[in-house]
Amino acid sequence: MRQFDDTVQSIEALAKASQGLIRIVSVPSVAALLFPSLLDHLSSTFPGLKIELRDTDTRQVLDSLAEGRADVGIASGHHPLNGIRAEPLFQDRFGLVAAADHALITAHEPPTLNQVAAKGFVHNSLCQLIENPGFEDVIAGSAITVHNTHSLIAMVATGRWVTILPETVAGFLPENTAFRPIEDLSDVRDVYLYTRERTQFPEVAEECRSHILNWPRN
């Protein structure tokens, strides 16, 4: 039913999009930083263009692309999909995210995985990308998993919990939270740009792709 409703909405949107339509879906950690500049660029380049922006997890990004509900997507990891071009966008390292005044943030030396695990560690879906051999053993005792990034950060901000996230997340962390590298964790997340090879408005999709590939993260 959801897929049917999405299809109907897409047909209606296309019918009303005389100046073009672009549908972009991204993981939240990138969307929060990219969407403002991308929206400004596309709006000024294509006056009257209809733009749909959505943030969700990697699985839903890939499903939206595969089912034709999105033209451009940004997701964690490389996932080959028929009819969709995948290009590496950037890498960012994993690290500790905790309250800004947390002992592991303010300590002179960077924390270790064992120290992180001992301080109320909260698991999240991005942790599945970490391949460090000792990581699973270290965090095996974690009984809490939070999938929504904003809810996760709200928990961390209380000072009672800590988590591990990619550094890009630090770009939209509130002032009372902070990111810090972990001494014995060198894993990075690979972020990829996905573009459908056939879209209703190929010129718009190509301009969107080009802007994202040249997006200055810093």
Side-chain angles (χ1 to χ4, degrees), residues 49-98:
L49 175 69
K50 290 187 178 297
I51 305 171
E52 294 182 6
L53 304 176
R54 183 157 43 97
D55 63 87
T56 187
D57 60 39
T58 287
R59 184 69 265 161
Q60 290 299 316
V61 170
L62 300 176
D63 287 347
S64 295
L65 289 163
E67 295 168 6
R69 292 183 283 112
D71 305 298
V72 177
I74 300 172
S76 300
H78 180 241
H79 310 272
L81 297 171
N82 289 333
I84 297 171
R85 174 168 47 182
E87 300 171 279
L89 191 55
F90 66 86
Q91 290 183 325
D92 56 348
R93 60 183 173 178
F94 283 93
L96 168 71
V97 174

Side-chain angles (χ1 to χ4, degrees), residues 2-68:
R2 178 181 61 79
Q3 186 174 351
F4 176 80
D5 288 342
D6 288 342
T7 301
V8 172
Q9 290 174 10
S10 295
I11 294 172
E12 292 175 344
L14 283 169
K16 298 176 182 177
S18 59
Q19 302 302 316
L21 168 69
I22 187 75
R23 300 162 300 173
I24 307 157
V25 60
S26 170
V27 291
S29 56
V30 181
L33 302 177
L34 170 64
F35 279 179
S37 67
L38 182 60
L39 179 60
D40 287 344
H41 177 73
L42 292 176
S43 296
S44 61
T45 305
F46 302 99
L49 175 69
K50 290 187 178 297
I51 305 171
E52 294 182 6
L53 304 176
R54 183 157 43 97
D55 63 87
T56 187
D57 60 39
T58 287
R59 184 69 265 161
Q60 290 299 316
V61 170
L62 300 176
D63 287 347
S64 295
L65 289 163
E67 295 168 6

Side-chain angles (χ1 to χ4, degrees), residues 161-193:
W161 312 95
V162 302
T163 194
I164 294 175
L165 286 169
E167 189 173 12
T168 302
V169 177
F172 62 88
L173 287 176
E175 293 184 359
N176 59 343
T177 57
F179 174 93
R180 189 177 192 188
I182 297 172
E183 182 178 350
D184 50 348
L185 182 63
S186 59
D187 288 59
V188 298
R189 172 183 65 157
D190 293 297
V191 177
Y192 274 75
L193 170 64

Side-chain angles (χ1 to χ4, degrees), residues 178-212:
F179 174 93
R180 189 177 192 188
I182 297 172
E183 182 178 350
D184 50 348
L185 182 63
S186 59
D187 288 59
V188 298
R189 172 183 65 157
D190 293 297
V191 177
Y192 274 75
L193 170 64
Y194 294 86
T195 310
R196 289 187 62 85
E197 294 176 353
R198 293 185 179 181
T199 64
Q200 189 75 14
F201 302 97
E203 181 184 356
V204 177
E206 180 57 32
E207 182 64 31
C208 179
R209 169 184 168 269
S210 177
H211 180 81
I212 294 173

Side-chain angles (χ1 to χ4, degrees), residues 115-130:
Q115 290 173 326
V116 171
K119 293 293 185 178
F121 176 77
V122 177
H123 195 273
N124 65 79
S125 56
L126 287 174
C127 290
Q128 298 172 6
L129 301 174
I130 297 175

